Amino acid sequence: MIARSIAVDNWRCFVGELVIGPFEDCINVIYAPNRTGKSKLFEAFRMALLDSHTVSGKEVEAVRPWGRELAPRVCVEFFYNGVDYRISKQFLDNPSSLLERREGKRFVRLAEGKAADERTRELMTALPPGRGLSKPENWGLAQILWVPQGGQPMGPLQADVAGAIRTELAAQVVDTHTGSLEEKIKERYYEIYTPTGKLKTGKGAPPLVHLQERLRETEVALQEAQSRQQQFEECSRRVEDHQARRAQAKRDAGEVYKQLDEVRKKADEYRTLASEKNTATEKVTRLEAQYNQVKQRFDLIQKNQSDLQQAAAELKRIEDELPLKEKEAETRQSEYSRAKTKLEDRSQRRAEVDRARELSQMATEMEACGHEIVRLDRLIDDVRQSEAELIGLREQLASLAAPDTSTLAKIRKAVSACDEVRIRLEASLITLEITPEQDLEIDVLAAKEPGLRKLSIGESTTIQGSPEVAVNLRGVARVRARGPAGEIEELRKKDVQLTEKVSHLCAPYGTQDPTQLQHIRNKANELENSIATVESRLETLLSGGRTPEELIEERSRQQGIQKSILEGIPEWRKKVPDANSAQQEYERIRETFVAEIEPVEDAWRKAQEAAMAASGQLQTHTERLKQVRENLASLEDQLAKLTTESEPLEKLDEKKRNLALQYEGAQQTLMNIEEQLSIFDANPAEIVSRLEKQLTSFERQEQEARESEIAERARLEQLSSQGPYTLVGEAERKVAQLQRDVEVETLTADAVSLLYRTVAECRTEAVASVVQPAEESVTQMFRRITGTGFDRVRLNEQFGLSHVVPSTFTDGVGLEQLSGGEQEQLSLIVRLALADVLSREERQLVVLDDVLTASDTGRLIRLLTLLDELSTRMQFIILTCHPERYGSLDSARLFDLVQIKEAAIAESTPGDRIGRV
Amino acid sequence: MRAPSLGNTAARVAAERLEAGRRVVEIARSRQVDFMLVAGDVFEDNGVGRVLVQQVADILTSFGGPVYIIPGNHDPAIPGSVWEHPAWKNSPRLHVLTEERPIKIGNGLLFPCPVLQKQSFRNPTEWIPERKSDGFRVGLAHGTVQGVSAEEPDFPIPRDAAERAELDYLALGHWHSFATYTDSNRSVRMAYSGTPEPTRFGERDSGHALVVNLATSNSTPTLEQVQTAGLEWFTMRKDLRAPSDLKRAREELETLANPSSKLIDIRLEGILFAEDRAELVRIQELLSARFLWGRLETSGLHPSPEDDSWFSELPLGILREAASRLASQAQTGGADDETALQALLELYAMSKENSI
């Protein structure tokens, strides 16, 4: 894009219309002194081409001429891609925008409002404007091409601008053949995919998408066919199952029917036998009862007779034995009497044994009492002695006024404090030592001990006092010594307090000497320990909690025992026998007695047992005799009663035998019937009932299976008539064909995608590498301007300046190392180099607002030469206040802004050029 | 017939099977055989369309003599089976044998061993009683003769089944290729005839009918294998090592006779050289245009690592670099090899178009 002209109206300092142009395609220099509005033209260019006509805010408000209610307007005519355009904008009041295109000899409206803004802005950038006036970073290509006042370095480029530069540079590394082949790859890719890389859909979708769709539909059809085939197979299986169930039910029913026929016959037979059994059972029961009754009476009479005979025989035997028994009892009794007498004789010596035992026991007791009395006496003495000792010790302790440990510690502390105070007091006194060289009388005027003193030659004396010591050395001098007055009074007061405290604490103990007090305390401790020892001993002596009185009482009791023994045996008053001897004597007497009495006792015991046995037998015999006699009488009465009440025994016997025969016959009959019945495991009637139920069940099952089979067969017929397997086969074939087609198309689509992506990757990498040509271009231009002092200018990936490599260095140096002029020149050169890239396809407008102010004349000339060369590919509009600096540019067209302005005012005819939209 | 992999060609293959059936009948008639035995699996499934059942019944009826058929494991005699179709009852010459009961044929006996379920471990011939009379004894069974490689022995038949059952001949069905089994006297008394039309690639010896001549009882039968196949299933495997190998393969393909009756399965492995890329396209065209059905498997092909001669025809820079990367990708041995190779072919084709 290049500019043809610019017209502003009511634009800051330009009140009324101002038109500058037409511009040359190469170099145009607009010059004017400072503050005449050059940079405002730069602003007008920018707002015309980049800003929205509706933009508002303080910055835009500043464009309105100061103190006027006029709407700023701008109009730029420009040439782009072989066509002339005109953009007219009005800001702030009734804002408007109109884009026109030259068609023939006149401009025709192309777009207005926001659309006009956007289409114009697209010349510079694809990105939308921000809020408010656009900042340099949003200028798009103008960020490179338009250099604002001061030639500020270029900021980071917008993504689309950097991209545009890369594309332009990359196009240079790709030949035309590559372009067409790449275009073909791209076309092939977009036949299949959308720009976002998804498969195209709708009308322009590739065959793969249609195939996939058809495949999905066919797969659904296949699933349905497979489902139908499965149903067919399951239905066939169910028919088989129903057939099997029906056949089984039929077989089962037939089996049951056969069983039922047999069991029914058995049931009839069973019923007959059961009836016969009942009759036979009744008969057996009746005959059994009759037989039992007859037999019972018969047996009773027979037993009675037998018992009677036995009783008579026993009576006779007992009566025969009775005299023998009586004689035996008598003999045994007399033997017993003799043994008893002998035993009694021998037993008389038992008293002697008892006496010896009694004496032995008493001797032992006497001896024990003696020992106990001696022990008690000793114990009582010890107790008495300990009690006396304890009393003595306690009295000593009571008489000793000893401070306890705590009091002693307090006294020590108080005495120590007192001593300390006194030392300090002593140290605080003013001490005056006088040693006279002749006998002298001194008058102590002020001291602790004032008064007159006489001193002998060589006798030293010390005078102390506070706060001063004053001495009159008669005939010699009056000496006065002073010291601090405060502390000594406090110390004295404290001394008095502490002395009183010590006196108070020590008053009970008769001394204030801590050593003595400690000695008293030690002695008290010794006494206390002794008291504790004696108390412990006393406690041991009186163990068991007894008192001394109880001990004395015990001793009296022991003496009482001795006394009572001695009263019983007075001869022991002279001499108490030895307990051991008494015991031995007792043992001797007892053993002698035992040796004599034991055989006699044995004989007596035997005789006694024999006598008692004989007597017992006799008594038993007599009682038995009585019982047998009574039993005999009873049996005789019973027999008499039985024989009178019934038939004779012979007749009863015959009757019994007849009944037994009848009973056995009936029993046999019953057994025969039961044997026949035992053949049956259970009542056949019950089996019949059960089988009948089974039969009904099986018949029902068969019927159900038949009905189910018929229903399933109908369904099977319906399914088989559809030929489900054939349908599956057809669907599978279609699916397989489509899968194959999809596979082929997928492979092709994937391959095209891979090819496209691979080429794109390679292109991206190639484009990324095009920073290098730009670097080379910048380096070449910079070296032309500055000479050979620099080997390389480095750009970053965003085409910003990175660093420069001087000829004498291998490492790069930062831009801040360059001079101000070099920085300005390099900044402009980078812009020019990039502008050169952007101007390959389309001539571009480069606006330079008061740049190169820091360059010396030589470099400026070289730069202008460079501009002149570049102007074959781009248009320059240079705004400057030093037109003479550009005098070397022969081809440049010069515009005197002041003159134009004045001319415009002189010819002012409002609205000549910038019409309202 | 399902043959899903054949896609649209499957219909032709299915039709050809019916033709094969007609050819079998024609052979039977021309040889004036006494009867025909069909040893099961006439149909692939009991769920086939009923029209097909009628067509098959009609073909077999056209023989004019007795035809004895047993159901196989693919078409077992179960509820809803093809054998319930009225077509079988309409012709007195067709005998669908669904019971293990001897059938008297002339002076001999036929012992059918029908399949009544889809799977079984039971020997279907074990029911055949011992010989009680003179006259020939022929068995008709469907199953796997022991020794045939199979994952699970379906309907296992002992290798000496004919001898055990004292049969003069035992006709077998189930396996698709022709196979014979000798008895202890080294006489062939049992054989699989094979399917009259091949059913898939790799079948050893299918596409025949078997004419069996049994002169008298106890005599050794003679077997004559007569071709009935209408289609040929041809497999080609090529390992490409030299630049002209692919060309030779294409020429071999062009010389194949009766291409319209051939199904071709080509698997190419080895190295694809740049100058052979056009051959690959040509082969694909031949398969599509000339043969009944064709499949070209190239996933085993890798571009020659040294062969980047055509890269020089590409513009210097981006495209050459892209071609080089694609060639490397196609060599990695990964799943994307084929895609990379295809991308390379696309680029090759476009560059050729561009240079024209």
Side-chain angles (χ1 to χ4, degrees):
Chain A
M1 191 274 289
I2 60 170
R4 292 288 190 216
S5 67
I6 180 167
V8 292
D9 190 10
N10 304 326
W11 198 276
R12 289 189 185 258
C13 58
F14 303 116
V15 181
E17 190 180 44
L18 180 77
V19 180
I20 303 168
F23 296 123
E24 290 294 328
D25 288 355
C26 299
I27 301 175
N28 303 276
V29 178
I30 303 171
Y31 64 94
N34 287 330
R35 301 184 61 78
T36 48
K38 294 190 300 300
S39 296
K40 307 311 174 243
L41 288 176
F42 188 95
E43 177 187 63
F45 263 120
R46 191 195 76 219
M47 287 182 70
L49 295 172
L50 290 168
D51 286 328
S52 167
H53 67 284
T54 55
V55 69
S56 59
K58 281 183 182 176
E59 287 178 314
V60 187
E61 195 64 43
V63 178
R64 193 196 298 270
W66 185 79
R68 298 172 196 274
E69 295 298 322
L70 298 171
R73 287 186 285 161
V74 62
C75 174
V76 175
E77 286 182 13
F78 58 92
F79 179 79
Y80 174 68
N81 203 15
V83 181
D84 279 311
Y85 294 89
R86 184 165 70 191
I87 176 73
S88 306
K89 288 185 182 175
Q90 177 168 321
F91 296 93
L92 297 172
D93 305 330
N94 299 320
S96 61
S97 178
L98 174 66
L99 178 66
E100 295 164 291
R101 182 170 60 194
R102 184 183 287 280
E103 293 177 7
K105 291 185 177 178
R106 63 190 189 95
F107 282 105
V108 179
R109 295 162 75 91
L110 184 64
E112 60 184 14
K114 196 177 173 186
D117 289 349
E118 285 175 359
R119 288 197 64 169
T120 311
R121 185 177 167 80
E122 280 170 8
L123 298 174
M124 294 294 178
T125 176
L127 301 176
R131 293 184 66 182
L133 291 175
S134 55
K135 303 275 187 302
E137 59 267 27
N138 297 322
W139 287 358
L141 297 179
Q143 197 182 352
I144 297 167
L145 302 173
W146 296 4
V147 189
Q149 198 169 37
Q152 298 151 352
M154 192 173 66
L157 294 180
Q158 270 184 299
D160 64 331
V161 178
I165 296 169
R166 284 203 184 91
T167 306
E168 287 299 326
L169 287 169
Q172 296 164 32
V173 297
V174 180
D175 63 15
T176 51
H177 187 189
T178 300
S180 64
L181 190 53
E182 210 180 327
E183 198 56 39
K184 198 165 271 181
I185 292 167
K186 195 172 170 184
E187 277 172 22
R188 184 84 178 95
Y189 179 79
Y190 284 116
E191 280 172 11
I192 301 169
Y193 295 99
T194 64
T196 55
K198 291 179 180 169
L199 282 170
K200 284 169 83 174
T201 54
K203 200 176 174 185
L208 173 61
V209 173
H210 299 301
L211 285 169
Q212 282 175 334
E213 205 169 312
R214 277 174 57 204
L215 176 60
R216 277 194 292 276
E217 289 167 4
T218 316
E219 279 173 341
V220 171
L222 173 61
Q223 280 175 2
E224 284 172 7
Q226 284 170 333
S227 167
R228 205 165 294 145
Q229 168 73 5
Q230 196 177 347
Q231 286 173 21
F232 169 70
E233 287 173 359
E234 284 169 2
C235 194
S236 170
R237 211 168 293 127
R238 283 198 295 276
V239 170
E240 269 188 317
D241 291 346
H242 292 318
Q243 279 179 340
R245 270 177 54 208
R246 183 161 64 85
Q248 185 61 40
K250 194 173 180 179
R251 276 196 299 276
D252 291 343
E255 198 61 36
V256 170
Y257 192 79
K258 265 193 264 174
Q259 284 179 27
L260 195 59
D261 196 36
E262 286 173 14
V263 174
R264 275 178 181 148
K265 284 177 191 164
K266 283 183 182 175
D268 290 343
E269 195 181 333
Y270 185 85
R271 248 191 317 275
T272 307
L273 283 170
S275 172
E276 287 173 0
K277 183 188 171 188
N278 288 340
T279 309
T281 305
E282 280 172 17
K283 191 176 178 184
V284 165
T285 309
R286 182 169 46 77
L287 285 170
E288 187 180 18
Q290 285 177 355
Y291 172 81
N292 286 341
Q293 192 182 7
V294 171
K295 184 173 182 295
Q296 191 180 7
R297 181 163 290 276
F298 178 83
D299 289 347
L300 198 62
I301 293 170
Q302 209 174 28
K303 185 172 182 302
N304 199 286
Q305 286 176 342
S306 170
D307 291 348
L308 202 57
Q309 283 172 0
Q310 284 176 5
E314 191 179 4
L315 181 63
K316 187 174 178 305
R317 184 180 54 81
I318 292 168
E319 282 172 345
D320 291 345
E321 286 176 355
L322 188 58
L324 297 172
K325 297 287 182 187
E326 284 171 344
K327 193 177 177 183
E328 171 74 13
E330 194 178 344
T331 308
R332 294 294 179 189
Q333 189 58 41
S334 63
E335 282 177 6
Y336 170 65
S337 297
R338 278 197 300 275
K340 189 179 175 186
T341 306
K342 195 175 178 179
L343 181 63
E344 283 169 355
D345 287 346
R346 292 282 186 273
S347 298
Q348 280 173 1
R349 291 194 63 186
R350 185 180 296 276
E352 192 182 340
V353 175
D354 292 343
R355 182 60 184 163
R357 186 181 67 245
E358 196 177 343
L359 286 172
S360 170
Q361 286 173 347
M362 282 193 292
T364 306
E365 197 170 359
M366 275 297 283
E367 193 174 273
C369 284
H371 290 314
E372 183 62 12
I373 287 165
V374 169
R375 191 187 69 80
L376 284 169
D377 283 346
R378 200 176 296 134
L379 187 60
I380 289 164
D381 285 347
D382 288 346
V383 168
R384 294 282 185 226
Q385 200 176 339
S386 297
E387 280 178 341
E389 190 181 350
L390 191 58
I391 289 164
L393 287 168
R394 280 177 179 158
E395 282 172 357
Q396 279 181 46
L397 184 62
S399 66
L400 190 67
D404 58 23
T405 313
S406 165
T407 309
L408 188 58
K410 285 177 186 171
I411 291 169
R412 280 183 187 283
K413 193 177 174 186
V415 168
S416 173
C418 196
D419 289 347
E420 191 185 338
V421 168
R422 279 177 188 165
I423 289 164
R424 286 172 63 194
L425 189 59
E426 194 68 28
S428 302
L429 287 174
I430 298 162
T431 305
L432 192 65
E433 189 178 336
I434 301 169
T435 309
E437 293 175 352
Q438 63 181 23
D439 290 344
L440 189 66
E441 198 171 57
I442 63 169
D443 190 5
V444 178
L445 299 173
K448 202 160 65 174
E449 292 168 356
L452 198 62
R453 289 188 202 179
K454 286 185 178 175
L455 302 177
S456 304
I457 185 167
E459 182 191 355
S460 295
T461 189
T462 302
I463 301 161
Q464 289 184 311
S466 177
E468 67 172 4
V469 174
V471 180
N472 186 18
L473 305 175
R474 288 185 181 178
V476 179
R478 176 173 288 191
V479 178
R480 185 183 295 273
R482 285 193 182 86
E487 194 190 17
I488 195 127
E489 282 310 313
E490 282 176 21
L491 290 169
R492 276 183 186 144
K493 210 180 283 176
K494 208 167 180 183
D495 181 42
V496 171
Q497 284 172 357
L498 288 166
T499 307
E500 280 175 5
K501 188 178 179 184
V502 170
S503 301
H504 174 73
L505 287 167
C506 297
Y509 313 114
T511 178
Q512 291 183 358
D513 181 2
T515 309
Q516 280 187 2
L517 285 168
Q518 182 62 53
H519 180 71
I520 295 168
R521 181 64 250 161
N522 291 346
K523 198 168 180 184
N525 286 345
E526 284 172 14
L527 286 169
E528 281 170 359
N529 289 338
S530 300
I531 287 167
T533 306
V534 173
E535 280 177 345
S536 173
R537 188 168 71 221
L538 194 58
E539 196 176 345
T540 307
L541 290 169
L542 294 172
S543 61
R546 290 186 301 179
T547 62
E549 287 72 29
E550 285 172 342
L551 292 174
I552 293 164
E553 195 180 329
E554 176 63 18
R555 184 177 178 280
S556 301
R557 196 178 67 76
Q558 293 294 335
Q559 285 173 335
I561 292 168
Q562 280 186 329
K563 192 177 175 184
S564 103
I565 292 170
L566 290 173
E567 278 173 359
I569 314 169
E571 60 271 24
W572 282 9
R573 287 180 195 280
K574 293 175 185 170
K575 188 189 176 191
V576 178
D578 175 36
N580 263 344
S581 307
Q583 179 66 25
Q584 284 170 2
E585 180 60 17
Y586 161 66
E587 290 292 332
R588 186 188 62 74
I589 293 168
R590 193 183 67 77
E591 281 170 11
T592 308
F593 174 71
V594 168
E596 287 176 357
I597 197 88
E598 274 183 353
V600 177
E601 271 184 351
D602 288 345
W604 171 75
R605 200 171 290 114
K606 283 179 185 169
Q608 185 188 37
E609 285 170 1
M612 283 175 71
S615 171
Q617 283 181 359
L618 179 61
Q619 191 180 351
T620 307
H621 209 78
T622 310
E623 283 171 3
R624 178 66 189 155
L625 180 64
K626 189 182 170 186
Q627 281 177 359
V628 171
R629 279 174 181 159
E630 285 172 359
N631 186 29
L632 191 62
S634 168
L635 287 168
E636 283 171 348
D637 287 349
Q638 208 173 356
L639 183 62
K641 196 177 175 184
L642 284 169
T643 49
T644 52
E645 281 178 357
S646 68
E647 294 165 288
L649 194 62
E650 294 75 19
K651 281 196 171 178
L652 276 175
D653 188 30
E654 191 181 343
K655 192 174 180 181
K656 188 184 74 168
R657 276 200 297 276
N658 285 336
L659 283 168
L661 284 171
Q662 287 177 25
Y663 173 76
E664 281 174 8
Q667 186 76 19
Q668 188 58 48
T669 305
L670 180 60
M671 280 168 64
N672 290 340
I673 293 168
E674 282 177 341
E675 194 178 336
Q676 288 177 53
L677 280 171
S678 70
I679 295 167
F680 301 93
D681 292 334
N683 186 347
E686 290 171 11
I687 299 170
V688 166
S689 171
R690 201 165 62 236
L691 286 172
E692 281 173 346
K693 281 180 190 169
Q694 279 184 9
L695 183 63
T696 308
S697 170
F698 287 134
E699 284 171 348
R700 193 174 59 246
Q701 282 177 24
E702 187 192 351
Q703 184 59 29
E704 283 171 1
R706 182 180 288 116
E707 286 166 7
S708 300
E709 185 190 335
I710 290 166
E712 286 294 345
R713 271 206 172 274
R715 168 94 179 120
L716 185 64
E717 191 58 37
Q718 187 195 357
L719 286 166
S720 67
S721 66
Q722 295 171 0
Y725 185 82
T726 304
L727 294 178
V728 170
E730 283 167 9
E732 276 181 347
R733 281 196 294 275
K734 284 179 186 168
V735 167
Q737 182 67 43
L738 283 167
Q739 278 174 340
R740 202 170 157 210
D741 295 346
V742 165
E743 203 176 302
V744 170
E745 286 299 324
T746 303
L747 180 64
T748 305
D750 288 349
V752 168
S753 173
L754 180 64
L755 177 61
Y756 176 77
R757 281 186 282 112
T758 308
V759 169
E761 275 172 21
C762 292
R763 164 164 282 281
T764 304
E765 287 170 21
V767 166
S769 68
V770 296
V771 174
Q772 194 179 347
E775 266 184 8
E776 284 171 2
S777 177
V778 170
T779 303
Q780 196 182 8
M781 287 185 191
F782 193 51
R783 281 165 65 92
R784 274 183 68 185
I785 305 303
T786 62
T788 55
F790 297 97
D791 266 355
R792 189 87 182 169
V793 177
R794 291 286 182 199
L795 302 182
N796 58 28
E797 287 183 359
Q798 295 303 310
F799 300 99
L801 276 169
S802 172
H803 57 273
V804 293
V805 185
S807 306
T808 50
F809 286 78
T810 49
D811 296 332
V813 297
L815 300 176
E816 67 281 359
Q817 304 284 333
L818 303 180
S819 69
E822 282 172 336
Q823 286 184 30
E824 181 192 65
Q825 291 146 19
L826 185 55
S827 177
L828 180 62
I829 283 169
V830 170
R831 287 172 185 272
L832 291 175
L834 296 180
D836 190 32
V837 171
L838 293 169
S839 304
R840 300 283 167 135
E841 297 293 325
E842 172 84 22
R843 180 180 280 268
Q844 296 290 353
L845 166 64
V846 176
V847 183
L848 307 176
D849 185 3
D850 222 2
V851 296
L852 302 172
T853 52
S855 298
D856 59 39
T857 308
R859 291 194 177 184
L860 180 65
I861 295 296
R862 286 196 285 276
L863 265 168
L864 293 178
T865 306
L866 185 63
L867 289 186
D868 197 34
E869 288 172 11
L870 291 171
S871 68
T872 59
R873 297 197 288 278
M874 59 189 87
Q875 180 192 40
F876 289 98
I877 295 179
I878 301 167
L879 302 164
T880 181
C881 55
H882 298 287
E884 70 282 0
R885 292 170 69 86
Y886 298 91
S888 63
L889 294 172
D890 296 335
S891 62
R893 178 168 183 183
L894 301 177
F895 293 90
D896 182 346
L897 187 59
V898 175
Q899 197 179 12
I900 294 169
K901 202 172 166 185
E902 286 171 359
I905 292 167
E907 300 171 4
S908 64
T909 312
D912 275 350
R913 187 176 179 103
I914 309 175
R916 291 194 177 277
V917 178
Chain B
M1 190 207 80
R2 280 159 81 168
S5 60
L6 298 180
N8 298 333
T9 309
R12 164 77 194 281
V13 174
E16 202 61 46
R17 287 192 183 179
L18 289 176
E19 284 305 314
R22 288 189 185 96
R23 285 190 282 273
V24 171
V25 168
E26 187 54 39
I27 290 163
R29 286 166 64 180
S30 65
R31 302 298 175 93
Q32 295 181 329
V33 300
D34 296 314
F35 52 87
M36 280 173 65
L37 296 179
V38 182
D41 285 356
V42 177
F43 301 94
E44 276 198 342
D45 192 272
N46 278 323
V48 296
R50 270 29 193 171
V51 173
L52 179 66
V53 178
Q54 185 65 58
Q55 284 176 314
V56 172
D58 288 348
I59 289 169
L60 292 174
T61 304
S62 67
F63 166 52
V67 180
Y68 298 98
I69 310 160
I70 56 167
N73 64 316
H74 278 274
D75 51 8
I78 56 174
S81 75
V82 288
W83 311 115
E84 291 180 355
H85 194 276
W88 308 109
K89 297 179 183 74
N90 289 344
S91 170
R93 298 188 191 100
L94 298 182
H95 305 279
V96 178
L97 307 173
T98 56
E99 290 177 38
E100 292 173 338
R101 191 161 52 85
I103 307 290
K104 187 160 178 55
I105 303 175
N107 68 338
L109 290 172
L110 174 67
F111 298 94
C113 307
V115 170
L116 307 177
Q117 53 198 343
K118 284 203 165 186
Q119 288 165 328
S120 174
F121 297 134
R122 177 178 164 265
N123 168 16
T125 64
E126 72 182 5
W127 76 274
I128 300 174
E130 61 186 14
R131 184 185 282 272
K132 289 175 183 166
S133 60
D134 293 336
F136 69 81
R137 285 162 61 91
V138 172
L140 179 60
H142 185 92
T144 302
V145 173
Q146 286 172 344
V148 173
S149 172
E151 286 182 6
E152 286 188 6
D154 257 359
F155 306 97
I157 297 170
R159 291 181 79 88
D160 60 350
E163 204 166 7
R164 281 189 197 190
E166 300 175 81
L167 296 173
D168 296 305
Y169 181 71
L170 174 58
L172 295 172
H174 188 43
W175 289 90
H176 293 198
S177 285
F178 171 71
T180 57
Y181 302 89
T182 53
D183 64 7
S184 55
N185 298 320
R186 308 191 69 77
S187 302
V188 173
R189 290 195 182 274
M190 53 191 270
Y192 285 108
S193 62
T195 52
E197 183 66 32
T199 58
R200 62 173 77 95
F201 289 107
E203 281 179 355
R204 179 178 47 80
D205 195 4
S206 55
H208 302 95
L210 210 53
V211 180
V212 182
N213 187 8
L214 192 61
T216 58
S217 175
N218 287 326
S219 64
T220 302
T222 58
L223 275 57
E224 183 190 358
Q225 203 183 0
V226 184
Q227 184 175 338
T228 53
L231 301 178
E232 189 182 354
W233 297 60
F234 187 78
T235 305
M236 183 188 272
R237 299 279 180 271
K238 295 290 176 190
D239 189 8
L240 308 180
R241 295 288 164 200
S244 53
D245 282 357
L246 193 58
K247 186 182 173 196
R248 276 196 288 277
R250 192 255 303 160
E251 286 168 354
E252 187 183 332
L253 198 62
E254 283 178 332
T255 58
L256 290 176
N258 301 321
S260 60
S261 303
K262 272 194 173 60
L263 296 94
I264 309 275
D265 179 25
I266 303 176
R267 182 181 293 273
L268 298 178
E269 291 175 346
I271 300 165
L272 177 64
F273 295 88
E275 66 245 44
D276 285 347
R277 288 170 207 276
E279 292 293 346
L280 212 54
V281 177
R282 178 73 186 125
I283 288 172
Q284 188 64 63
E285 286 170 0
L286 274 173
L287 288 179
S288 303
R290 188 177 291 183
F291 291 92
L292 175 60
W293 184 87
R295 175 169 59 196
L296 176 61
E297 177 60 58
T298 59
S299 60
L301 275 184
H302 299 283
S304 169
E306 301 84 20
D307 184 20
D308 56 359
S309 54
W310 66 280
F311 289 6
S312 61
E313 295 167 20
L314 292 170
L316 185 67
I318 294 167
L319 292 173
R320 259 191 224 184
E321 174 61 22
S324 175
R325 287 187 192 183
L326 290 171
S328 298
Q329 277 187 46
Q331 297 287 349
T332 54
D336 296 333
D337 273 18
E338 198 178 358
T339 309
L341 181 62
Q342 185 63 32
L344 213 51
L345 289 173
E346 291 280 340
L347 180 60
Y348 180 79
M350 284 187 217
S351 72
K352 290 290 174 197
E353 280 174 28
N354 220 34
S355 63
I356 293 168

